């Protein structure tokens, strides 16, 4: 299936309030341009170097989402242009983002990553850390970071009810956060295999790679 057709099929099923991020990690610029020409503007990458060189080579109205684990020493590389950072999984990332964004004299959109999966290998705040974090006055502490909501990844499993349970728990935390920060409008959850389930559980942003670009040669 062509990239344009795959995009069209997904977009046809998306409710209006849900944004599709095309996850282009490991994929060449030609593939990104094909999606771009079909109208796609939001793209996701998980490696800083790769996102930065793609940003340099490709049209400047692309909104780049950093969806991978963030190493704080690399934030300065993408601070000038990144659209949204999904993987804020510790306060150190918030303070570094704030510092680099202030140097660029811009606000950077960010999502707090929550650990909802069973796998220990996945990143994110646990429930207790999340509760503590939202009790502090985040906009005052990090004025150059605009926290827009939450991001999470479900367990890699065929068990749909487990995935649904994890998505629903993330949605509950999102509503809790939103009751304190009413401007929150983004719940980033759902990938190629589970985005429809994620939308049923309240997702407003899905991150889809292989269902658009085909399988990757190597896994990240
Ligand atoms: C790779 C990746 C995706 C997309 O995965 P697919 O299964 O190819 O859709 C989504 N989110 C994150 C954080 C990723 O690293």
């Amino acid at each position: 299936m062509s990239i344009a057709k795959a995009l069209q099929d997904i977009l046809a099923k998306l409710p209006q309030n849900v944004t599709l991020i095309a996850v282009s990690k490991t994929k060449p610029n030609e593939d990104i341009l094909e999606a771009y020409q079909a109208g796609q503007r939001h793209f996701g990458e998980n490696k800083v170097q790769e996102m930065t060189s793609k940003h340099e080579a490709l049209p400047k109205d692309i909104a780049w989402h950093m969806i991978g684990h963030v190493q704080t020493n690399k934030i300065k590389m993408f601070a000038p242009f990144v659209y949204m950072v999904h993987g804020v999984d510790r306060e150190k990332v918030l303070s570094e983002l704030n510092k680099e964004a202030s140097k660029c004299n811009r606000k950077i959109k960010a999502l707090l990553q929550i650990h909802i999966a069973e796998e220990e290998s996945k990143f994110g705040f646990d429930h207790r850390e999340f509760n503590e974090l939202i009790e502090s006055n985040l906009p005052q502490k990090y004025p150059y970071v605009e926290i827009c909501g939450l991001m999470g990844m479900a367990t890699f499993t065929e068990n749909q009810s487990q995935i649904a349970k994890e998505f629903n728990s993330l949605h509950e935390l999102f509503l809790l956060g939103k009751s304190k920060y009413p401007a929150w409008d983004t719940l980033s959850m759902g990938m190629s295999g589970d985005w429809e389930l994620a939308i049923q559980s309240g997702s407003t942003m899905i991150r889809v790679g292989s269902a658009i670009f085909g399988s990757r040669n190597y896994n990240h």
Side-chain angles (χ1 to χ4, degrees):
M1 202 196 315
S2 77
I3 290 169
K5 176 76 169 70
L7 272 173
Q8 202 178 53
D9 287 356
I10 296 170
L11 289 170
K13 293 192 206 157
L14 283 197
Q16 273 217 320
N17 67 320
V18 178
T19 303
L20 170 63
I21 301 179
V23 176
S24 47
K25 63 191 187 196
T26 80
K27 297 296 175 181
N29 290 348
E30 305 87 82
D31 286 9
I32 297 175
L33 274 177
E34 193 177 329
Y36 180 88
Q37 270 140 20
Q40 181 66 26
R41 291 295 179 271
H42 291 267
F43 291 88
E45 292 284 337
N46 69 341
K47 296 270 186 281
V48 172
Q49 203 81 51
E50 186 175 344
M51 181 173 74
T52 304
S53 43
K54 284 173 173 174
H55 160 73
E56 278 163 16
L58 289 162
K60 292 299 171 283
D61 61 340
I62 287 179
W64 291 102
H65 294 251
M66 172 42 62
I67 63 171
H69 184 62
V70 180
Q71 289 168 274
T72 49
N73 62 338
K74 294 194 176 156
I75 289 175
K76 55 175 160 321
M77 291 176 66
F78 61 70
F81 70 88
V82 74
Y83 179 78
M84 186 180 270
V85 179
H86 292 231
V88 175
D89 60 358
R90 55 204 194 282
E91 269 211 86
K92 176 87 175 136
V93 177
L94 278 176
S95 56
E96 282 296 308
L97 266 180
N98 190 64
K99 191 174 97 191
E100 295 302 329
S102 88
K103 285 188 201 163
C104 301
N105 197 23
R106 67 184 294 245
K107 263 193 160 189
I108 295 179
K109 291 180 192 288
L111 302 175
L112 304 175
Q113 182 170 356
I114 308 294
H115 189 273
I116 53 171
E118 274 180 354
E119 296 112 330
E120 283 301 319
S121 57
K122 290 194 168 130
F123 295 102
F125 294 103
D126 65 26
H127 290 201
R128 188 184 52 78
E129 292 166 335
F130 171 71
N131 282 317
E132 277 176 18
L133 189 64
I134 60 169
E135 283 314 314
S136 56
N137 188 340
L138 293 170
Q140 193 181 3
K141 247 167 123 178
Y142 306 111
Y144 289 91
V145 182
E146 181 189 350
I147 297 176
C148 302
L150 305 181
M151 178 269 206
M153 266 190 281
T155 302
F156 186 70
T157 173
E158 293 293 315
N159 184 340
Q160 300 294 300
S161 67
Q162 183 180 350
I163 298 174
K165 198 179 88 198
E166 292 173 0
F167 283 158
N168 287 330
S169 75
L170 185 57
H171 185 233
E172 271 176 37
L173 290 187
F174 172 71
L175 293 178
L176 180 71
K178 193 174 166 63
S179 69
K180 196 165 160 55
Y181 302 103
W184 281 17
D185 60 4
T186 307
L187 179 54
S188 167
M189 61 182 191
M191 319 194 341
S192 289
D194 55 22
W195 62 267
E196 291 180 279
L197 201 54
I199 289 172
Q200 286 168 25
S201 304
S203 171
T204 72
M205 189 173 266
I206 59 173
R207 311 177 307 268
V208 179
S210 43
I212 296 171
F213 297 107
S215 58
R216 290 177 291 275
N217 295 333
Y218 53 98
N219 268 322
H220 284 262

